[in-house]
Amino acid sequence: MYVKRDHNRSFFHDKRRGSGMNVWVLFGFGTILGAIAILMILYFNQFQLAALEAIGMAPTATPQSQSYAMRGQTLFYQGDVDGAILQFGLALQQQPDNIDYLYEYGALLIEAERTTEAQPIAARALEVAPDDPRGYALMARVLMWDAPEEAIRYAIQGIDVDPNFAPLYAAQGVAYTNLGRWQEGIRNGARAVELNPNDIFVQVSYQWPLTYRGDYWGAIDALQTAISLNPNLTSPYFYLASQYMNTVSMPQMAIATYLRILEIDPNNAKAYLRLCQTYARVDEARFDIAQPYCDTAIELDPDYGEAYMQRGQMQYARRNYEGAIESFNICREKGSTRIECSYLRGFAYYRLGSYTEAWDILQNEARPLAIEQGGLESILTQIGQVMDAITEKAPGFQGMEVPTAIPPTPLPPTPIGGFGT
């Protein structure tokens, strides 16, 4: 056989050219496969879900509202009540008629002492789920302090719906106690604990009738149980510290409890204020230790009227009347209605010999406020005594008529203790 050769062309020329093309084709093909593999890794869940949907086996999607609610529950058990409120609020935006979310959101608002905001939530819960006890429990909690009789009515209606829902009895126990019927308070509080001892609100509420009865250690035990249910929630610690300070006279235990709160929440202005107040009230008042705690509370919350009140009280006790007047003025400017910011400010002006200012404050501000708040006959008596002294000392005030004290009005009993939680 004859093979024609082109002697001007290399034998390997075509071979080399073909081999190079094959390399590039293989490289491009490999690149595509690599890209596909990367996409599969990155979007595996999406591809898997699409495949499952194609054969009708895709899982039910979790609603976003449920994710918000779960996040809210987690934040609550971490002690972040404000964060939990935000998450449940977002859940309600998506499902405004969900009774589960309404109840949790309303309870969190009450926990944060935002009772005014909780009331319409309770009303909405009653509207959307009249056969659910939770709406009645929410409304009873909203009303148990300021309108105890109404709270009891709502609690009874809720018990008619579900006689085993513990928070209804807990709210009723507080309401009866506020009406001075502490035996009914004890009975309802005990029933709530019997039905659900693992409910924080139930345990915290039980302290009130126990305290009225004088069972202080029983109240402390209930609060310690509440703390064990969620050690990150600060409100039961405040109640516990108040019990230590006001009922069993153990200021060091109160101080330790407030310091525990600061371990949980280092920027808790209320805990700093309570430390300030506790050191100011010990047998040998330690204003030198107390003052920095008050100052820190004000630094953390410049609008904290009660902190200015406490600082003013200490300044007044140390005869720094000018400083006390300044603190009491700020207390009033911040919207506080604490009677101390009015009548002690008047007394401070009297101590400085500024009788006109003292008379004006005592006559037109402190006295009306004391009458409005009620149960402050001893303060009204002190105001009258200082005003009497002004009529004796100050030119232009001789013969001025000093208002007589208001006869005491019978009031329902108030919780034993001083500055409360």
Side-chain angles (χ1 to χ4, degrees):
M1 181 176 66
Y2 176 74
V3 177
K4 184 178 179 180
R5 296 184 183 276
D6 185 352
H7 296 283
N8 295 318
R9 190 172 180 183
S10 167
F11 179 78
F12 296 103
H13 180 79
D14 286 341
K15 247 178 149 179
R16 283 200 304 269
R17 186 176 178 183
S19 175
M21 289 178 65
N22 291 337
V23 168
W24 285 108
V25 169
L26 289 172
F27 177 76
F29 185 65
T31 301
I32 292 170
L33 287 176
I36 292 172
I38 291 171
L39 287 172
M40 287 294 292
I41 292 170
L42 292 175
Y43 296 100
F44 175 77
N45 290 336
Q46 289 89 332
F47 290 140
Q48 184 186 51
L49 182 60
L52 290 172
E53 285 177 347
I55 60 175
M57 295 180 61
T60 304
T62 302
Q64 187 65 33
S65 58
Q66 184 178 343
S67 298
Y68 288 134
M70 292 173 66
R71 201 173 301 141
Q73 286 285 3
T74 299
L75 289 171
F76 173 73
Y77 284 108
Q78 291 174 350
D80 185 358
V81 175
D82 290 336
I85 288 172
L86 175 61
Q87 294 300 316
F88 273 102
L90 292 171
L92 275 174
Q93 287 179 12
Q94 296 193 357
Q95 294 188 35
D97 294 340
N98 187 309
I99 183 60
D100 296 330
Y101 301 161
L102 286 166
Y103 180 71
E104 297 297 337
Y105 185 61
L108 286 166
L109 288 173
I110 296 171
E111 175 67 29
E113 300 180 357
R114 294 162 59 178
T115 309
T116 303
E117 297 174 57
Q119 187 157 3
I121 302 300
R124 183 62 180 161
L126 287 168
E127 182 182 348
V128 302
D131 295 327
D132 193 298
R134 289 174 289 183
Y136 299 96
L138 269 184
M139 190 62 80
R141 288 183 65 176
V142 166
L143 299 171
M144 64 186 187
W145 292 107
D146 296 327
E149 291 179 344
E150 289 184 56
I152 291 168
R153 283 197 291 271
Y154 277 104
I156 291 173
Q157 292 176 48
I159 290 169
D160 288 339
V161 172
D162 183 351
N164 295 315
F165 193 57
L168 292 164
Y169 295 94
Q172 201 170 208
V174 174
Y176 273 121
T177 303
N178 283 329
L179 291 173
R181 297 167 61 180
W182 59 266
Q183 289 179 323
E184 287 295 308
I186 288 284
R187 184 177 66 81
N188 279 277
R191 177 60 177 154
V193 171
E194 178 185 351
L195 287 169
N196 191 355
N198 295 322
D199 187 304
I200 295 172
F201 168 64
V202 164
Q203 294 289 353
V204 171
S205 297
Y206 195 32
Q207 68 155 324
W208 296 111
L210 290 172
T211 299
Y212 272 93
R213 190 175 69 177
D215 184 2
Y216 306 136
W217 289 106
I220 288 171
D221 183 61
L223 290 168
Q224 289 175 335
T225 301
I227 288 170
S228 71
L229 294 170
N230 185 356
N232 296 315
L233 189 65
T234 59
S235 59
Y237 289 98
F238 280 106
Y239 289 119
L240 179 62
S242 180
Q243 289 284 351
Y244 282 136
M245 186 66 192
N246 299 321
T247 61
V248 296
S249 300
M250 298 176 67
Q252 293 305 317
M253 290 295 291
I255 289 168
T257 304
Y258 290 129
L259 291 174
R260 172 63 184 139
I261 293 171
L262 291 176
E263 290 178 6
I264 300 169
D265 181 5
N267 294 322
N268 194 305
K270 185 177 178 181
Y272 280 105
L273 172 59
R274 294 295 181 254
L275 281 167
C276 174
Q277 292 173 320
T278 302
Y279 277 111
R281 287 181 54 194
V282 294
D283 290 339
E284 296 182 2
R286 294 299 307 271
F287 295 140
D288 56 327
I289 299 176
Q291 180 87 39
Y293 285 118
C294 270
D295 293 342
T296 301
I298 291 169
E299 288 173 11
L300 290 169
D301 184 358
D303 294 324
Y304 202 171
E306 191 180 352
Y308 291 102
M309 179 272 294
Q310 181 60 40
R311 186 166 73 178
Q313 281 186 300
M314 291 189 296
Q315 290 167 324
Y316 182 88
R318 301 169 86 174
R319 300 184 182 181
N320 178 8
Y321 301 123
E322 293 90 347
I325 289 169
E326 180 182 359
S327 294
F328 290 139
N329 275 328
I330 298 174
C331 169
R332 294 289 291 168
E333 289 169 6
K334 299 302 180 182
S336 174
T337 58
R338 290 294 298 257
I339 187 65
E340 294 88 347
C341 296
S342 294
Y343 86 91
L344 287 179
R345 189 164 98 260
F347 289 2
Y349 274 115
Y350 169 76
R351 296 289 186 183
L352 293 172
S354 301
Y355 300 125
T356 300
E357 290 86 349
W359 182 277
D360 181 63
I361 292 169
L362 296 175
Q363 170 75 347
N364 300 317
E365 180 184 316
R367 194 169 183 279
L369 187 61
I371 294 171
E372 177 187 338
Q373 293 183 357
L376 300 175
E377 283 75 21
S378 63
I379 290 176
L380 283 168
T381 298
Q382 294 177 57
I383 290 172
Q385 291 171 344
V386 172
M387 293 178 74
D388 272 331
I390 292 174
T391 63
E392 296 173 3
K393 294 183 178 181
F397 284 90
Q398 287 86 355
M400 292 281 288
E401 184 177 351
V402 176
T404 56
I406 303 295
T409 302
L411 295 171
T414 53
I416 299 169
F419 49 77
T421 61

